[in-house]
């Protein structure tokens, strides 16, 4: 996380952004209060040191020094598994979000979309967190408790042709109603979609009528928008099954098709196999699939397996652009953020190479990679995602620790587009990882330590769960 001074009034405050959109504004005193709460709960030996108060007015140099110190503090808190995933930390961000957006707590109707375009109206409070809204949606649909963990809520942007661009998976540090309404743009919607990658889990979902209907609707939608490739004969068979309302058989056939279960991203730019190539990236089957348009207009396809990714990170650069609207007191401009996902990949036995994707959806890509790793780890340990939800004492649902391992996206903070990065998930012992986290995938770029202490994730580039067959090369 990096912090910068977005505006000055009687007190200095810091803006936190998610995907370049203002999430909340916090003052030094609020951050100090968070620190004291964490110390009381976890002890001084666990919580990092907090930048001290100053008696006299800060000079510009001291302001910058405090910004850097607060940045390091918040980064350390977020990267600690117990502190960064704690209810104290998440509730702090939720409360700050609601206060910043000036939305009072009241009962409202929130519209949640299903993959087939159906709208589900759920009655919630504006202060309800993500899992509360997910629970309300599941209850409205009569989805059984033990299947709720197979689904998540996503923030998407609807295009003119009716398609959706995935912005991010909604996290536990945010209030879905506040997140979507504060964008002041009807194109942004919340959609319910399955949150797992392994199609073997489809069997669990299809055991129940509602789960089957949700999975069927998503599969039909993915085929119709071209995410799943279908030839003429397969299309004929699928249409026949649709006419017979044979939903399970329809899904079984779809499971055999290319890109079933993949999430397709908007066209973006990559430096592989050469700089400046346009690419369409899809995530699924524990890999990132690239369909690259080379400078000579030739299309090449290849895949990068998550089990051969040694690590990855999201970085940002930004510029200040004028704005004439937004919440009162938000300052004279907003940060326009350029996001990149870079991952270090084992191309051959002894050759690692950085691959960079420049995309506004870089954070969502990172979340996909992390959730793939988490799912593999659950399977490796013999766990089941069926048990990812457990009952709260008051009868509600709450995600278990195994599901909380899926990390939050980075929070961009203030005018300089700094970061509050999530805790890194590292299935490998640190001693197995020899490359410095400061190694840049592009040596020609200026150092980015100040601007974007990034979201680090870890693959398993040393002792994978299976054969090293991830990189299929270019066809």
């Amino acid at each position: 996380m990096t912090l910068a001074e977005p505006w000055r009034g009687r007190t200095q405050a810091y803006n936190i952004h998610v995907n370049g959109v203002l999430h909340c504004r916090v003052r030094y005193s609020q951050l100090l209060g968070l620190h004291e709460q964490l110390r009381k709960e976890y002890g001084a030996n666990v919580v990092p040191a907090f930048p001290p108060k100053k008696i006299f007015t800060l000079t510009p140099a001291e302001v910058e020094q405090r910004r850097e110190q607060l940045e390091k503090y918040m980064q350390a808190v977020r990267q600690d598994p117990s502190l960064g995933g704690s209810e104290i930390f998440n509730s702090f961000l939720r409360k700050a979000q609601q206060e910043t957006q000036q939305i009072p707590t009241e009962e409202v109707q929130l519209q949640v979309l299903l993959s087939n375009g159906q709208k589900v109206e759920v009655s919630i409070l504006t202060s309800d967190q993500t899992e509360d809204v997910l629970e309300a949606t599941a209850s409205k649909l009569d989805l059984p408790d033990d299947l709720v963990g197979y689904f998540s809520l996503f923030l998407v942007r609807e295009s003119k042709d009716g398609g959706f661009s995935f912005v991010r998976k909604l996290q536990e540090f945010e209030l879905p109603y506040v997140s979507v309404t504060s964008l002041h743009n009807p194109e942004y919607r919340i959609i319910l979609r399955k949150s797992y990658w392994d199609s073997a889990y489809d069997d669990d979902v299809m055991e129940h009528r509602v789960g089957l209907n949700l999975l069927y609707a998503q599969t039909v939608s993915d085929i119709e928008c071209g995410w799943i490739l279908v030839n003429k004969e397969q299309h004929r068979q699928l249409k026949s099954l649709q006419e017979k309302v044979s939903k399970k058989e329809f899904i079984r056939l779809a499971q055999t098709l290319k890109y079933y279960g993949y999430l397709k991203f908007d066209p973006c730019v990559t430096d592989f196999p050469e700089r400046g190539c346009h690419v369409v990236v899809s995530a699924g089957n524990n890999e990132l699939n690239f369909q690259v348009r080379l400078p000579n207009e030739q299309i090449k396809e290849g895949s990068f397996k998550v089990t051969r990714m040694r690590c990855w990170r999201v970085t940002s650069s930004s510029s200040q652009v004028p704005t004439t609207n937004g919440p009162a007191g938000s300052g004279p401009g907003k940060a326009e953020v350029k996001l990149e996902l870079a991952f270090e990949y084992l191309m051959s036995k002894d050759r690692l190479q950085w691959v960079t994707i420049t995309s506004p959806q870089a954070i969502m890509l990172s979340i996909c990679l992390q959730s793939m790793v988490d799912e593999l780890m659950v399977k490796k340990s013999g766990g089941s995602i069926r048990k990812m939800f457990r009952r709260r004492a008051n009868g509600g649902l709450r995600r278990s620790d195994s599901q909380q391992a899926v990390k939050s996206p980075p929070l961009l903070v203030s005018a300089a587009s700094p970061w509050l990065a999530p805790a890194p998930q590292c299935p490998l012992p640190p001693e197995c990882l020899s490359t410095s986290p400061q190694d840049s995938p592009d040596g020609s770029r200026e150092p980015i330590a100040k601007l974007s202490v990034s979201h680090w994730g870890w693959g398993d580039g040393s002792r994978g769960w299976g054969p090293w067959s991830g990189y299929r090369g270019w066809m």
Side-chain angles (χ1 to χ4, degrees), residues 26 39-40 74 89 159 169 173 183-184 242 254 260 269 283 302 345 376 417 446:
V26 294
R39 275 175 58 98
K40 182 178 179 181
M74 293 296 283
F89 188 78
S159 60
K169 179 180 175 182
F173 60 73
L183 293 169
H184 305 291
Q242 263 189 301
Y260 174 80
V269 177
Y345 196 77
L376 285 168
S417 171
E446 295 180 359

Side-chain angles (χ1 to χ4, degrees), residues 242-253:
Q242 263 189 301
E243 292 172 349
K244 297 175 183 177
V245 198
S246 301
K247 297 180 180 180
K248 283 189 178 182
E249 290 75 11
F250 184 96
I251 294 171
R252 296 293 187 204
L253 176 57

Side-chain angles (χ1 to χ4, degrees), residues 80 217 221 227 276 306 387 425:
D80 183 278
S221 174
W227 286 15
V306 69
K387 299 178 181 179
Q425 180 75 9

Side-chain angles (χ1 to χ4, degrees), residues 22-40:
L22 180 66
H23 177 79
C24 65
R25 182 181 300 113
V26 294
R27 300 183 304 276
Y28 173 87
S29 59
Q30 289 175 290
L31 294 173
L32 177 59
L34 169 65
H35 171 70
E36 291 172 346
Q37 279 187 284
L38 291 172
R39 275 175 58 98
K40 182 178 179 181

